[in-house]
Amino acid sequence: HRNVVFNLTRMPQVNEHTFHLVPEGVAFFMASTLNSEVEGSAGITDGQGRPVVTFMDIGREVFGNLRDVAIFSLPSLSEGPYGEPMPDMAVAMSVNDAARSKAIWELMLGIAKGASGSGDTSPGRQKVGGVRVDRYDVQGVSVYLYAAGDRIVISPSIRAIEAAVGAAKGSSVAGDPAFASLVAKASND
């Protein structure tokens, strides 16, 4: 068969690996597995060995590279621009080709930052939970990009990024007693 709709309904099942993307103590989360784990493809690189990406790589990212995607929110609210409340939410993803995925997200967030008036597309950097996180300031909102191993997390909330760093270090919903019955139902089969 060559039916895209049928193929979209045959996505791999959520397994325990997906739950390790979600931090312990979340108020809610949604998770899905999009693609199977495969070897990353060798793409075009520049003279320094960094992946060269374009907007055409976005389709490949979604339909071939993203393995697991989880959206989560922490129980409290942070303060956003102009004193307005902002939920502590994030999107956490595991990918097959981490270097290429990070390059795609850096491209998109850099363009958004540059288009917001600064003209500068390079990220600010800061340490969160002992690891380096990139910060893109877009229209008064900081958007954080955390990448470690096959994991990429994007959020406008530094608190959500801190929780994601904790999940990468083992404090995930997979060990949270509140979600134990749900995690027990998932298997690699």
Side-chain angles (χ1 to χ4, degrees):
H1 70 87
R2 300 278 185 239
N3 187 314
V4 172
V5 174
F6 181 70
N7 279 336
L8 288 174
T9 63
R10 291 183 13 173
M11 294 186 297
Q13 295 177 337
V14 171
N15 61 37
E16 189 174 338
H17 181 270
T18 309
F19 294 114
H20 288 283
L21 294 172
V22 181
E24 190 173 55
V26 295
F28 87 92
F29 72 93
M30 297 184 316
S32 179
T33 301
L34 298 178
N35 296 293
S36 299
E37 185 172 356
V38 295
E39 270 305 303
S41 63
I44 300 170
T45 57
D46 65 9
Q48 297 175 343
R50 297 176 301 199
V52 175
V53 294
T54 67
F55 275 111
M56 297 301 289
D57 287 303
I58 295 171
R60 178 196 139 306
E61 179 73 7
V62 173
F63 294 108
N65 196 32
L66 284 176
R67 288 193 325 247
D68 304 293
V69 177
I71 299 170
F72 65 86
S73 179
L74 301 171
S76 65
L77 297 175
S78 293
E79 187 175 304
Y82 314 110
E84 296 294 321
M86 181 176 67
D88 293 316
M89 295 182 72
V91 175
M93 302 165 274
S94 67
V95 295
N96 288 318
D97 185 347
R100 196 155 302 281
S101 289
K102 187 171 187 277
I104 289 169
W105 287 107
E106 287 172 342
L107 172 68
M108 290 190 294
L109 291 170
I111 288 172
K113 178 184 178 187
S116 70
S118 71
D120 179 26
T121 61
S122 60
R125 292 191 170 54
Q126 68 186 77
K127 288 247 181 191
V128 176
V131 298
R132 191 190 93 187
V133 174
D134 294 339
R135 184 188 76 246
Y136 296 86
D137 296 318
V138 181
Q139 293 290 326
V141 175
S142 293
V143 178
Y144 300 93
L145 173 65
Y146 163 60
D150 68 346
R151 181 181 310 230
I152 294 177
V153 182
I154 300 171
S155 177
S157 164
I158 193 71
R159 188 165 177 268
I161 293 293
E162 287 172 340
V165 169
K169 293 179 178 178
S171 181
S172 72
V173 77
D176 190 336
F179 294 103
S181 64
L182 174 66
V183 174
K185 291 178 186 175
S187 71
N188 289 334
D189 299 324

